[in-house]
Amino acid sequence: MNLPLSLDGLASSRDPLLLLRQGTQTAHEAVESIPAMRRLFAADYSIDEYRRLLLALWPFLHALEADLLSAGQHDRIRASVSRAGALHRDLLALGEPQASLPPPKLAHAVPIACESERAGVLYVLEGSALGGQLIRRALLQRFGAEAGNWCQYFDCHSGNAGRRWRAYGQALREHPTIDTGMLVAAAQLTFQRFGERLGKLPATGPLPLRVAKPAPPASACPFARARQLFGRVDSLGERLRQWWRT
């Protein structure tokens, strides 16, 4: 997957969130289309599939957060929770033997050298935490209350993902020195690297049907596309709704 890491062709705007939405649309849609992601909403989704998904993400997130923390301790925009830590706790709750060992070593997950790039990475992490609320709901509906013991990764903000997302957006808009080119490029590359990890997972069952709908307006949140891409026709009884709110 090769992405243009630039702002070429984007609408002129001073709003960094708008630039991020526009600049990451292609990369974001590519991740949404990966079978392993679509299977999360399938009526026959299995715990083994879920475990494999977490194992695929664990070394990537561990390396990514290590890079963020090593140089971003004094950033104005910082991660508020450890996604890798929550994922690790989920693996332990699932009884995964590999969870008792350190994650496989992975060189720099995403090359990040400045606060603008770190803020671009956080755009993806914070947004996915908000979208994770829908995935958590799907897992609870599929597996019952026990799923609450091993889906902390998708509920890392304990129900406060929306408030955390709004705080991220406000901090980004108020930041005096954000380089939007570096910001968008880092977010694009983060989506790409997520896709590379998840794209290696096979689909072990049928995919939820897609439903074509008109494109959302430019002002819509980036995860509104998910509503168009994933038609929920299984026993969950609802379609995937908007993930990110501005």
Side-chain angles (χ1 to χ4, degrees):
M1 190 187 311
N2 295 315
L3 299 174
L5 305 183
S6 74
L7 292 177
D8 294 344
L10 298 186
S12 176
S13 173
R14 294 183 179 180
D15 184 348
L17 281 180
L18 178 58
L19 289 172
L20 281 164
R21 285 197 295 270
Q22 295 174 333
T24 62
Q25 180 177 340
T26 298
H28 180 197
E29 290 176 358
V31 173
E32 287 179 339
S33 299
I34 291 172
M37 289 297 295
R38 295 180 63 193
R39 282 286 300 164
L40 281 163
F41 298 93
D44 62 342
Y45 191 62
S46 70
I47 293 178
D48 283 341
E49 284 182 90
Y50 181 69
R51 182 187 290 109
R52 288 193 294 270
L53 183 146
L54 295 183
L55 283 172
L57 290 178
W58 187 28
F60 171 74
L61 281 170
H62 186 270
L64 185 61
E65 287 190 354
D67 289 344
L68 288 173
L69 291 174
S70 65
Q73 297 181 7
H74 302 293
D75 289 354
R76 293 169 62 114
I77 304 173
R78 297 189 300 274
S80 57
V81 297
S82 171
R83 301 295 301 280
L87 189 152
H88 184 219
R89 291 191 293 274
D90 289 342
L91 288 173
L92 289 172
L94 287 167
E96 172 54 48
Q98 294 186 47
S100 62
L101 303 172
K105 289 186 177 181
L106 183 68
H108 299 295
V110 176
I112 42 179
C114 66
E115 184 172 4
S116 294
E117 291 175 338
R118 289 189 289 273
V121 172
L122 288 174
Y123 172 78
V124 180
L125 295 182
E126 294 294 352
S128 67
L130 187 57
Q133 297 299 293
L134 298 177
I135 295 174
R136 177 181 180 274
R137 186 181 307 161
L139 292 173
L140 288 170
Q141 291 177 336
R142 171 78 179 110
F143 299 108
E146 68 168 294
N149 298 323
W150 38 258
C151 62
Q152 293 184 44
Y153 172 67
F154 291 110
D155 189 31
C156 60
H157 292 303
S158 302
N160 293 314
R163 183 169 61 184
R164 172 58 196 168
W165 170 249
R166 290 189 293 273
Y168 166 83
Q170 180 178 353
L172 186 63
R173 286 172 169 138
E174 294 175 353
H175 199 292
T177 60
I178 283 291
D179 183 305
T180 53
M182 293 181 177
L183 176 77
V184 173
Q188 288 175 328
L189 186 55
T190 304
F191 272 121
Q192 178 182 331
R193 294 292 170 82
F194 264 108
E196 290 169 355
R197 302 293 301 185
L198 296 171
K200 298 176 181 178
L201 295 173
T204 58
L207 303 179
L209 185 66
R210 294 184 183 185
V211 175
K213 289 188 176 184
S219 60
C221 66
F223 273 77
R225 292 285 300 175
R227 192 176 198 180
Q228 302 162 16
L229 293 174
F230 300 118
R232 300 287 301 286
V233 295
D234 52 30
S235 61
L236 299 179
E238 63 178 5
R239 294 180 178 177
L240 185 60
R241 297 181 295 174
Q242 180 172 310
W243 283 22
W244 286 357
R245 297 184 183 274
T246 55

